[in-house]
């Protein structure tokens, strides 16, 4: 199987987060309480820019499902 990549940058982020994928994927971003903050589909070779100015300071994690 080919290894597919999804890059998230910059890390850390403050005003925006960029995700770029080499595959189709569903992305869900959660805060540390396990609450979903945003979700979207990322298409192959797409770069998605997420405005994070309304997000509280803290740590976030993403679950990514390739499809």
């Amino acid at each position: 199987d080919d290894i597919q990549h999804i890059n998230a940058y910059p890390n850390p982020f403050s005003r925006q987060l960029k995700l770029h994928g080499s595959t189709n994927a569903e992305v869900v971003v959660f805060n540390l309480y396990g609450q979903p903050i945003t979700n979207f589909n990322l298409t192959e070779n797409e770069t998605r820019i997420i405005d994070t100015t309304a997000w509280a300071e803290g740590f976030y994690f993403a679950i990514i499902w390739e499809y």
Side-chain angles (χ1 to χ4, degrees):
D1 290 326
D2 292 333
I3 297 174
Q4 304 297 320
H5 297 278
I6 296 181
N7 297 310
Y9 56 94
N11 185 12
F13 61 88
S14 59
R15 301 181 60 76
Q16 65 181 19
L17 174 63
K18 296 179 184 178
L19 285 96
H20 177 81
S22 63
T23 186
N24 294 322
E26 180 180 355
V27 179
V28 182
V29 178
F30 296 89
N31 63 19
L32 281 182
Y33 299 107
Q35 300 165 319
I37 302 301
T38 188
N39 67 303
F40 55 90
N41 290 325
L42 189 66
T43 59
E44 184 177 353
N45 295 318
E46 174 187 6
T47 298
R48 177 71 58 104
I49 300 172
I50 303 167
D51 179 5
T52 61
T53 55
W55 296 10
E57 287 187 23
F59 293 92
Y60 295 86
F61 62 96
I63 295 179
I64 302 168
W65 294 273
E66 181 182 344
Y67 64 88

